[in-house]
Amino acid sequence: MNLPKDRRDPQVIASAEASLEAPLRVLGAALTERPFLLGTDFTLADLNVASVLATALTARFDLAPFEPVFKWFGQCLSREAAQRCVALAVRK
């Protein structure tokens, strides 16, 4: 993920990205029926899944092809508490 470019293996990257497609499709299907994982309100389930998915940001994984997930993740990151966490991380 954070390896120097000369140490990155394109085959490993492609394999890792491909392994995310099925779970992201399942997540996307659930999110087409409701705005958050368990209904209309943000819950601990959303926080948990979003925190795991945050590694996608570090890895520069493009979530845009998974539109419901991309939209949901944006909603999670735009929450005031998430913004405060980002601000704390940037200060360090």
Side-chain angles (χ1 to χ4, degrees):
M1 210 160 49
N2 291 322
L3 291 173
K5 285 186 179 185
D6 63 326
R7 295 190 55 211
R8 296 177 194 169
D9 184 336
Q11 289 179 328
V12 170
I13 293 168
S15 175
E17 288 178 349
S19 73
L20 292 175
E21 288 183 22
L24 287 172
R25 278 195 303 273
V26 170
L27 181 58
L31 291 166
T32 58
E33 300 170 7
R34 54 192 172 269
F36 294 103
L37 292 174
L38 299 180
T40 58
D41 297 319
F42 182 86
T43 67
L44 185 57
D46 297 285
L47 176 62
N48 186 31
V49 175
S51 66
V52 171
L53 198 54
T55 58
L57 294 176
T58 304
R60 292 183 168 81
F61 182 78
D62 184 13
L63 291 172
F66 307 94
E67 189 175 342
V69 176
F70 183 75
K71 180 181 174 187
W72 165 82
F73 193 50
Q75 289 177 304
C76 293
L77 293 178
S78 68
R79 295 178 54 80
E80 182 183 342
Q83 294 297 308
R84 286 192 307 229
C85 288
V86 169
L88 286 172
V90 170
R91 280 190 236 163
K92 291 184 179 187

